[in-house]
Amino acid sequence: MDGPTVISRLRAAGCVFAEDEAALLVEAATTADELESLVARRVAGLPLEHLLGWAEFHGLRIAVRPGVFVPRQRTGFLVDVAVSLAPPDPVVLDLCCGSGALGAAFAAAIPPRELHAADVEPAAVACARLNLPLVHQGDLYDALPASLRGRVDVLLANVPYVPSDAVATMPPEARLYEPMVALDGGADGLDLARRVAAGAPQWLAPGGTVLVESSERQAPVLAGIFAAAGLKPDVHESADLGATVVTGTAQS
């Protein structure tokens, strides 16, 4: 099967970037049979990143495995904001880390003194350990060593923020192949963000910052949640990426 045939099949299946995807699949396949299998699974709806075994994120190739959330390009804005706010030699925590993409991208920009990551999903933890050296398993802060308490300068938290009743409207490759715990944010999409905000003051260093992605509509509510937790809130937006990040900074 040649490249034009792959492009034609992908385009017929509704792949918007059929040419780019075809080139990646052709590159990944070592035999004609393997290429046929990759194309057939992509046409059936499997995420391209799960087929390739990696996702491009913030200029890096991040290992991604089936059943693990695929990092979104817009979330690179969260990394950019974190880098702009970070002190030198920071202690960094990638919470709800999924593949560990945020922690890896941050570390590529600013080498941290310590970099910890955590996720509740065993598949995510196993995947993140391909990208990061120190990954803990457990429910939010329960996963962390006590020695980290009060020392985190940068807390990256890519929590789910899709309201429960909107999950069904997500693209099939997300809702069928990514873990629901990484997509469903509860009734208003902010259940996990509330828990992150409530615990953050205990784990942040003086002047440390927690960063959470949200929708533009949710941002004022999330800023209020941070303020109620005793953190100084701020809202950052990228029109180019269609991304919104809310930060909460601990008192110095």
Side-chain angles (χ1 to χ4, degrees):
M1 179 167 45
D2 59 13
T5 301
V6 175
I7 292 171
S8 178
R9 289 179 61 181
L10 294 177
R11 188 176 290 132
C15 297
V16 177
F17 302 105
E19 292 83 358
D20 294 338
E21 293 194 14
L24 291 169
L25 293 174
V26 169
E27 178 186 357
T30 56
T31 67
D33 287 345
E34 185 178 6
L35 179 58
E36 172 60 38
S37 175
L38 288 171
V39 172
R41 285 183 288 162
R42 180 62 182 131
V43 167
L46 272 72
L48 176 69
E49 294 82 1
H50 288 168
L51 294 173
L52 298 174
W54 57 270
E56 191 282 327
F57 181 76
H58 215 261
L60 303 176
R61 280 195 176 188
I62 301 296
V64 176
R65 295 294 180 263
V68 175
F69 181 80
V70 176
R72 310 311 199 236
Q73 293 306 308
R74 65 175 174 272
T75 308
F77 180 61
L78 190 152
V79 176
D80 292 336
V81 175
V83 168
S84 73
L85 297 175
D89 198 29
V91 174
V92 179
L93 170 61
D94 184 353
L95 199 60
C96 302
C97 68
S99 65
L102 272 66
F106 183 95
I110 299 180
R113 175 159 36 110
E114 294 179 40
L115 172 57
H116 296 258
D119 202 287
V120 71
E121 283 284 306
V125 171
C127 182
R129 285 174 176 161
L130 301 173
N131 298 306
L132 298 173
L134 187 55
V135 185
H136 313 283
Q137 183 175 335
D139 184 23
L140 294 182
Y141 302 105
D142 291 345
L144 305 178
S147 60
L148 195 58
R149 190 182 298 268
R151 296 198 302 113
V152 177
D153 297 303
V154 178
L155 200 169
L156 312 165
N158 190 21
V159 301
Y161 59 91
V162 178
S164 297
D165 61 5
V167 170
T169 67
M170 296 185 70
E173 63 184 40
R175 56 185 168 81
L176 296 180
Y177 298 103
E178 294 179 327
M180 194 56 60
V181 69
L183 303 176
D184 190 340
D188 66 351
L190 296 175
D191 282 2
L192 264 292
R194 287 186 176 88
R195 294 181 59 203
V196 168
Q202 303 171 45
W203 294 90
L204 290 174
T209 300
V210 55
L211 303 95
V212 176
E213 185 176 274
S214 76
S215 70
E216 183 179 5
R217 177 183 55 80
Q218 292 166 324
V221 178
L222 183 52
I225 291 169
F226 280 152
L231 302 170
K232 180 181 180 298
D234 200 0
V235 177
H236 311 259
E237 295 183 333
S238 168
D240 291 341
L241 292 172
T244 301
V245 172
V246 182
T247 59
T249 302
Q251 293 184 355
S252 300

